[in-house]
Amino acid sequence: QLQLVESGGGVVQAGASLRLSCAASGRTDSSYAMAWFRQAPGKEREFVATISGSGRDTYYADSVKGRFTISRDNAKNTVYLQMNSLKPEDTAVYYCAAGLYGNSRYRYVYWGQGTQVTVSS
């Protein structure tokens, strides 16, 4: 089993930055792709960003491209999401996931519990 724990969420004003972290423990495997998804109240969980096991490949949702950056440190079993120029529409619970590289939630087997990000206008 692989456990994922997110941290770094909070309440910020529009235009601010936050960095989310996701620490993996248990049966860690650097070959897993890691991703961030988010879910706003009343909405479906949506893809945000993903990074391959090596860290060489990344892919972003159009809504965050140019503002968010995903990275990973395999030595620390941690993946990060740097979020800049935050907008109120970025408000959601952010989930970390591990699995196969791609933008579909069904490619990811392991999920964290989520961390709340709230952006006020």
Side-chain angles (χ1 to χ4, degrees), residues 7-85:
S7 62
V11 180
V12 296
Q13 290 192 327
S17 298
L18 276 177
R19 188 176 82 154
L20 305 183
S21 299
C22 172
S25 62
R27 295 184 65 179
T28 57
D29 185 344
S30 62
S31 68
Y32 282 126
M34 300 294 293
W36 290 94
F37 287 77
R38 67 186 182 186
Q39 188 166 17
K43 293 189 176 182
E44 295 286 318
R45 191 170 298 189
E46 66 173 1
F47 168 78
V48 175
T50 185
I51 186 167
S52 62
S54 66
R56 186 168 53 195
D57 300 306
T58 58
Y59 182 71
Y60 297 89
D62 288 343
S63 58
V64 306
K65 201 173 295 182
R67 299 188 298 123
F68 291 10
T69 302
I70 189 170
S71 61
R72 67 189 295 164
D73 184 338
N74 287 341
K76 295 182 179 180
N77 295 316
T78 302
V79 64
Y80 305 96
L81 185 67
Q82 177 67 43
M83 305 186 294
N84 298 330
S85 302

Side-chain angles (χ1 to χ4, degrees), residues 63-120:
S63 58
V64 306
K65 201 173 295 182
R67 299 188 298 123
F68 291 10
T69 302
I70 189 170
S71 61
R72 67 189 295 164
D73 184 338
N74 287 341
K76 295 182 179 180
N77 295 316
T78 302
V79 64
Y80 305 96
L81 185 67
Q82 177 67 43
M83 305 186 294
N84 298 330
S85 302
L86 282 162
K87 304 175 181 180
E89 51 263 45
D90 294 318
T91 295
V93 177
Y94 283 71
Y95 297 91
C96 175
L100 298 176
Y101 187 76
N103 64 351
S104 169
R105 60 182 292 186
Y106 301 106
R107 298 180 70 84
Y108 295 90
V109 179
Y110 300 102
W111 292 83
Q113 293 299 305
T115 185
Q116 176 71 47
V117 172
T118 302
V119 184
S120 61

